[in-house]
Amino acid sequence: MTTAAELPQRVLILGLGFAGRALALHLQSLGVAVAGTVRDPTAAPGDGIARHRLHPDHAPDTALLEAIARTDAVLCSVPPDAEGDPALRLLGPALQASPALRWVGYLSSTGVYGDRGGGWVDTHSDADARDPVALRRLLAETQWRALADARGIASATLRLPGLYGRGRNALVRLAQGNARHVVRPGLVFNRLHVDDLAEAVVAAMRRPARDALYLPADDEPAPPQDVLAHAARLGGFTLPPAVAWDDPGFEPMLRRFHASNKRIDSRGTRQALQWQPRFRSYREGLADAWEAGDGVMPAR
């Protein structure tokens, strides 16, 4: 078992979206100096997180390059494209040259595993999905590992199931009227509360390792219609009509999401990181969201 180390003093998060911002706020609460990248820094909320512009049409500015030179750890949550990680393409030379960098992390997806017919995958399973989205993820993972190996520093790839949390969950979708009651008989998948993800990333930073791979997930692979039904009961909503997962009216990404049926075994990750999810199933996560005010019907 790896001995826990001190947290990095400075962390840069590439992509302050749903997951990136949750991690930034958690690190900030632990006393870490956090900065991040967004496409438009002028739209930033007043949360005290320094934001730098990172846009494929613009060269990185001096402030961002200076931040990279000072940061101990970098985590990327930017979606990949056909050539891998667009953020790494823009910032690769600066990351290679940074004198302070000691750890890099990449948020990937359990979508890199093909359909298991409801069977289990863990960190020893083959990443055998071959659709274009999965191949982009795998390419980006490889690029980040290559950077870390070239620098001789620690790295962590976290392959994530579906993320949810306050502000992004079935209660919100029901209240907004855009929830989809999609049914594929026998389909189950895991989820991960975004706050549990933040704690898992912090645990990975505290236990730096070379080429580490983690699969953080909750305890209960469950059918999506069960999650939606629980949210409807919790908030007093009427379930929308059920539709088949392969409805031709659905966009390809939604059909792809429901085409892969697998369960995530995260026991190895939990042991390696000494981490346990606080929200062990969707029920605890939705209860927390409901108590925070999610699911309130919008005023008319």
Side-chain angles (χ1 to χ4, degrees), residues 18 22 161-171 173 190-197 218 227 278-289 294:
F18 182 60
L163 293 178
Y164 75 106
R166 293 182 181 182
R168 184 165 134 177
N169 54 68
L171 284 165
R173 293 193 295 274
N190 291 80
R191 293 152 191 84
L192 182 66
H193 196 284
V194 72
D195 290 350
D196 284 329
L197 168 61
D218 67 1
V227 179
R278 182 160 54 98
F279 301 96
R280 305 186 75 89
S281 78
Y282 63 88
R283 284 179 289 273
E284 291 83 1
L286 288 175
D288 174 77
D294 283 359

